[in-house]
Amino acid sequence: MQKVAVVALGCPKNTVEAEYLLGVFRGKGFAITNNIEEADIAVIHTCSFIKTAKEESEKTIRAVLSVKKKTGLRAYVSGCLPQLLQNKMNSVFPEIDGYVGTGTLKELPRLVFNKGFDKSLLPPGGLNESKYRVLSSSLPSTYLKIAEGCGHKCSFCIIPSLRGGYESRTIESLVDEAKSLADNGIKELILIAQDATSYGYDIYGAFALDKLLSKLANIKGLKWIRLLYAYPSSVTDSLLDVFKERKNICNYMDIPIQHISKNVLSAMRRPLNTASIIDKIKNKLPDIVLRTSIITGFPGETKRDINELISFLERGYFQYVGVFEYSNQKEADSSKLKKQIKNSVAVDRRTLVENAQYSVFKSQIDKIKGNDIEFIVENCSQKISDSKYNITGRCYFQAPEIDGNITLLSDKPLKSGEFYSGKIKGVKGYNIKVTIGEI
Ligand code: SF4
């Protein structure tokens, strides 16, 4: 039986696609391995939405090709890099055995069997569902990709050209998948898409995330349902009502705003009323914990714009902010804008925003010091020195990999994947230290 390994790079949407892909391969009789050295077939599922992501994909392909020289494995590339480079892939990586873009991942096994390139395999899109899915984590937490592609035209972003137009999955297919995940022990379900809050408008003629969330919240065993990638102007009142009514929907939302100054938002082609939308959310759900993403150094951004942004953040709307300096993509419309800003200035501004936001984070956690908080354990390791246990986990307002962790030292081991309650003691960076009572 041939062994296949899939390396997933980039965002959680790629992780889900790689899990579907492994399911498709398993369905075709391949064995699965995480060890490239023992694989007969290696697939690198790539990302290329910004320069650094593209470089990481190219570096990983080269690393796999050096294994190929030793073991003779066959190497295939899929996803956003072939979608971006199209048939330039042949000249950039002549040694690979084949590639597919974002819209034809399901075709990969056929390519593997038939050996060789197939230029037609490059329509944009995504592998949105598969009967089989091989989860890449043993923890009771996973992602549910509810749609692919994007209907917006943010001037700095090339994702619509890589992933195509907005394509929602049906509520039925999502509920089926979520039920099977819950039946297999999943307790936390994280909803993802390029723009999750526009879910449904393409197939139901109206935003339907509220309806989807209500159905998912009925599924037995799902303790936490988390929403990432909300888009400001498609956050509806009925969606916020569902957040209010359903206790297993985490009182947390990731809503990238990218900036707040109208001067910059209009150049980005993003909603100018972003501030009032955030206000509306916090008025309706005062205790909700918000995360956002910000770009600094966008062409035309002035010192005044950055100061306006910092004073907006200092009002404490967000507990977490991911800050990125502008990355000039030649394929993006923003690369043609005047008043491009030096990268060093963009980086300085990123640091300014990060420092301002850290003070906000710290003061928000100071307000809940001494409170009890429930958390899921994700790692428990014994310390050599005093045989205590180093525990890390997450609470309802911490998404995986981006919001820091709950940390504690325990006399007794705690079970990974189980929920416990601890008392908040303080912070270390973005980690929140807790103590735990008798267990
Ligand atoms: S909403 Fe997100 S994915 Fe869509 S164009 Fe804007 S930044 Fe890109």
Side-chain angles (χ1 to χ4, degrees):
M1 191 187 274
Q2 293 204 77
K3 286 187 181 160
V4 62
V6 176
V7 182
L9 302 172
C11 64
K13 293 169 282 283
N14 257 16
T15 308
V16 174
E17 283 189 335
E19 293 174 351
Y20 287 147
L21 201 48
L22 285 168
V24 172
F25 272 108
R26 181 180 270 171
K28 303 235 183 247
F30 287 81
I32 290 169
T33 175
N34 290 330
N35 179 353
I36 294 281
E37 302 278 346
E38 64 176 42
D40 302 294
I41 310 279
V43 177
I44 306 109
H45 192 40
T46 59
C47 176
S48 65
F49 87 112
I50 52 172
K51 194 157 162 278
T52 46
K54 187 167 167 274
E55 286 161 359
E56 188 204 5
S57 293
E58 291 168 346
K59 192 166 144 237
T60 308
I61 294 168
R62 291 199 178 88
V64 171
L65 288 174
S66 62
V67 177
K68 174 183 167 76
K69 282 206 184 87
K70 278 187 297 175
T71 68
L73 63 75
R74 280 186 283 144
Y76 295 84
V77 180
S78 59
C80 291
L81 187 67
Q83 199 62 42
L84 181 70
L85 297 184
Q86 301 271 313
N87 50 29
K88 270 192 246 123
M89 284 292 287
N90 306 336
S91 50
V92 178
F93 299 106
E95 314 97 308
I96 60 173
D97 297 274
Y99 59 90
V100 294
T102 55
T104 45
L105 282 168
K106 264 196 182 135
E107 303 297 330
L108 250 177
R110 182 169 68 79
L111 198 62
V112 169
F113 287 129
N114 303 351
K115 296 193 170 40
F117 298 123
D118 184 329
K119 288 194 180 41
S120 66
L121 289 179
L122 286 171
L127 178 53
N128 286 349
E129 59 191 305
S130 156
K131 244 184 23 266
Y132 309 110
R133 181 176 169 186
V134 180
L135 297 182
S136 47
S137 157
S138 58
L139 286 168
S141 170
T142 196
Y143 298 97
L144 185 69
K145 186 165 80 136
I146 64 173
E148 187 49 88
C150 187
H152 299 289
K153 299 235 169 313
C154 305
S155 60
F156 54 83
C157 181
I158 62 170
I159 291 174
S161 66
L162 298 176
R163 289 288 178 172
Y166 201 86
E167 207 183 308
S168 301
R169 287 178 56 187
T170 64
I171 290 180
E172 294 69 32
S173 75
L174 287 164
V175 169
D176 284 354
E177 183 172 340
K179 274 194 181 135
S180 92
L181 290 168
D183 293 347
N184 287 294
I186 291 294
K187 297 171 184 161
E188 177 186 21
L189 198 62
I190 307 167
L191 273 53
I192 55 175
Q194 307 296 353
D195 156 12
T197 40
S198 295
Y199 171 78
Y201 82 88
D202 56 317
I203 54 175
Y204 301 122
F207 297 142
L209 184 58
D210 52 340
K211 293 182 182 55
L212 172 63
L213 277 172
S214 300
K215 297 249 184 219
L216 294 175
N218 295 337
I219 297 175
K220 210 160 155 297
L222 289 184
K223 187 176 171 72
W224 284 350
I225 298 170
R226 183 182 303 282
L227 179 65
L228 301 185
Y229 304 103
Y231 187 86
S233 46
S234 46
V235 174
T236 60
D237 288 337
S238 54
L239 175 66
L240 299 178
D241 290 340
V242 176
F243 267 75
K244 218 175 201 165
E245 290 147 15
R246 307 309 299 263
K247 293 297 161 250
N248 59 345
I249 296 175
C250 293
N251 202 14
Y252 167 98
M253 186 190 290
D254 164 51
I255 177 165
I257 63 170
Q258 310 303 355
H259 214 287
I260 210 63
S261 122
K262 289 200 168 87
N263 166 42
V264 178
L265 287 172
S266 63
M268 286 178 164
R269 295 203 294 252
R270 290 200 51 102
L272 299 184
N273 61 342
T274 296
S276 59
I277 293 167
I278 301 298
D279 247 337
K280 174 185 89 172
I281 296 171
K282 285 299 256 186
N283 287 339
K284 194 133 191 174
L285 302 167
D287 302 329
I288 193 168
V289 170
L290 296 180
R291 149 173 277 277
T292 194
S293 306
I294 295 283
I295 295 174
T296 59
F298 191 79
E301 182 190 64
T302 64
K303 278 206 182 93
R304 199 170 142 183
D305 295 326
I306 269 291
N307 294 339
E308 182 187 346
L309 173 65
I310 289 173
S311 26
F312 179 78
L313 294 176
E314 284 172 342
R315 282 154 52 187
Y317 289 106
F318 303 101
Q319 187 160 302
Y320 300 103
V321 178
V323 193
F324 306 87
E325 72 269 13
Y326 172 67
S327 168
N328 194 21
Q329 306 279 91
K330 66 179 184 327
E331 298 85 4
D333 294 349
S334 57
S335 65
K336 301 175 194 69
L337 290 173
K338 293 198 178 63
K339 300 189 189 149
Q340 296 281 334
I341 290 175
K342 273 196 289 172
N343 180 259
S344 57
V345 174
V347 172
D348 291 350
R349 290 177 177 177
R350 188 191 77 201
T351 310
L352 272 180
V353 174
E354 283 171 341
N355 293 346
Q357 181 56 32
Y358 187 70
S359 319
V360 172
F361 165 76
K362 205 163 170 320
S363 68
Q364 290 186 350
I365 303 302
D366 285 349
K367 284 190 201 120
I368 56 173
K369 240 187 211 170
N371 291 11
D372 291 326
I373 188 120
E374 187 179 37
F375 60 95
I376 184 169
V377 168
E378 295 195 312
N379 193 27
C380 172
S381 55
Q382 189 162 25
K383 285 176 61 183
I384 313 301
S385 56
D386 56 9
S387 70
K388 280 190 181 277
Y389 296 85
N390 260 327
I391 313 279
T392 58
R394 285 180 297 110
C395 65
Y396 78 88
F397 58 67
Q398 293 173 316
E401 294 166 32
I402 52 176
D403 293 332
N405 288 106
I406 292 283
T407 60
L408 71 147
L409 267 185
S410 167
D411 300 331
K412 295 199 179 97
L414 302 186
K415 210 157 165 262
S416 199
E418 292 302 322
F419 289 84
Y420 296 84
S421 179
K423 204 172 278 304
I424 295 175
K425 285 298 166 195
V427 298
K428 189 165 187 230
Y430 272 97
N431 288 338
I432 298 172
K433 296 185 288 183
V434 306
T435 52
I436 195 165
E438 275 312 301
I439 42 173

